[in-house]
Amino acid sequence: MSSLFPAVRTPGSFFRVRCYSLTGASSSSNRCATFCCVFRFKRHVSWKRCATGLEIHFLLFERLDYLKVMMEMKVLGCALLFPLQIFLCLLRAIVRFFTRQKRRDLGTDVVLITGGGRGIGRHLAKEFAEQGARKVVLWGRTEKCLKETCEEISMTGTECHYFVCDVGNREEVYQQAKVLREKVGDVTILVNNAAVVHGKSLMDSDDDALLKTQHINTLGQFWTTKAFLPRMLELCNGHVVCINSILSLSSIPGAIDYCTSKASSYAFMESLTLGLLDCPGVGCTTVLPFHTDTEMFQGMRVRFPKLFPPLNPEMVAERTVDAVRTNTAFVVLPWTMHFLVILKSLLPQSALEEIHKFSGSYTCMNTFKGRT
């Protein structure tokens, strides 16, 4: 009988239903009843005998606000569980800090390190090889440095390759990525380490130099990640690493190009990390080290070098590889730099300016003579 009254049941909607006589009388004698039906929880059917026969008047009762109430209940439940979820996250972080975590086996990984010919990149290549990476690939602009590092790693028994590539050049990145896949295989760990710094104020900086910094330090990560991340997602196996800087969170004068590029790079990695939360097997690591003792920042001086000594590049490499193996998203080196981030969130600008002057970071780039 219900087939005689076809209607689209949309919760919370009103519609017209035409009820025909069941007596088989002529069309001229068919009586029609037009009425509004409102959805409710319970169904009620009313029977009425008319002059032309039997007509059925039915009302479908369903709560108009059913879905709305259910959604509100769901939101309320999430709100009540939210503090518990935060507490559990803090508890897991504390447990991770005091216990030894399961580490990723690098025995099947192909590691690509940009800027791998010298500095932190060179130490990263050596550390990945020491930790058992199957293959290490180096990218950089200076072939001499790449060749020396590649030979040093090959002597340890780890297969190593190098390609001359400027990550600031999009077409070159895509072309070399294709060559790398054909000759070496799929990259499963990408380390975006390449960076430059010119160490000048805005007014003293050449326009081309400013563009070069942004192309290498920031846009280069876009091109390399786009080149290798899709295959990682297909394999459900991969890791994207960014060697950033604490200057991305607390800038200094005299390195405006570098600080700007690193802040952009940090935002890129933060967004990418969140975007890959639902991608099994693929993770991200962002390392934010303090001033590291490499030729890149040669000449940089702080007021209290005993209190804030430059980091050892070997230590930065070790902590980075360990973060990859434990799938740690963000690493701040040294850990005391967390206080700087907290102070920046709480103190007024005038107080932060006094801290910069007192620590010497306000003038630390005046003696800069590092590699650009």
Side-chain angles (χ1 to χ4, degrees), residues 258-276:
Y258 184 81
C259 295
T260 302
S261 65
K262 288 301 182 179
S264 300
S265 172
Y266 179 80
F268 169 81
M269 286 301 296
E270 192 172 32
S271 178
L272 182 66
T273 302
L274 292 173
L276 294 176

Side-chain angles (χ1 to χ4, degrees), residues 207-228:
D207 289 355
D208 291 335
L210 292 175
L211 286 173
K212 178 182 177 182
T213 303
Q214 306 309 315
H215 281 299
I216 294 177
N217 296 11
T218 304
L219 291 177
Q221 293 188 72
F222 282 77
W223 314 144
T224 57
T225 304
K226 287 192 67 177
F228 297 105

Side-chain angles (χ1 to χ4, degrees), residues 14-69:
F14 293 86
F15 60 90
R16 290 190 173 276
V17 177
R18 186 174 296 275
C19 298
Y20 292 95
S21 172
L22 302 180
T23 60
S26 62
S27 58
S28 60
S29 62
N30 282 344
R31 297 190 55 192
C32 300
T34 304
F35 52 91
C36 290
C37 295
V38 183
F39 287 147
R40 298 295 182 192
F41 271 124
K42 297 181 179 180
R43 173 177 301 202
H44 173 72
V45 181
S46 62
W47 301 81
K48 180 180 179 182
R49 184 165 298 278
C50 304
T52 58
L54 181 65
E55 289 187 353
I56 299 177
H57 298 257
F58 67 91
L59 293 176
L60 301 177
F61 295 97
E62 191 172 340
R63 292 180 64 91
L64 283 172
D65 56 346
Y66 173 65
L67 292 179
K68 181 178 179 181
V69 170

Side-chain angles (χ1 to χ4, degrees), residues 111-126 136-153 160-163 165 167 191-195 371:
V111 184
L112 169 62
I113 303 171
T114 66
R118 52 189 171 185
I120 296 177
R122 184 170 190 165
H123 292 285
L124 282 168
K126 294 167 65 176
V136 176
V137 184
L138 309 176
W139 274 10
R141 295 179 296 159
T142 308
E143 185 173 7
K144 179 183 177 181
C145 297
L146 292 172
K147 186 176 180 180
E148 291 175 354
T149 305
C150 184
E151 291 176 350
E152 184 178 353
I153 293 174
C160 187
H161 305 265
Y162 74 88
F163 301 87
C165 180
V167 297
V191 183
N192 286 311
N193 169 72
R371 171 178 54 85

Side-chain angles (χ1 to χ4, degrees), residues 356-371:
H356 278 291
K357 293 178 181 179
F358 179 78
S359 64
S361 61
Y362 187 74
T363 57
C364 66
M365 292 297 290
N366 291 352
T367 55
F368 170 79
K369 52 182 178 181
R371 171 178 54 85

Side-chain angles (χ1 to χ4, degrees), residues 347-362:
L347 296 180
Q349 179 63 26
S350 57
L352 294 174
E353 292 170 358
E354 293 301 322
I355 292 176
H356 278 291
K357 293 178 181 179
F358 179 78
S359 64
S361 61
Y362 187 74

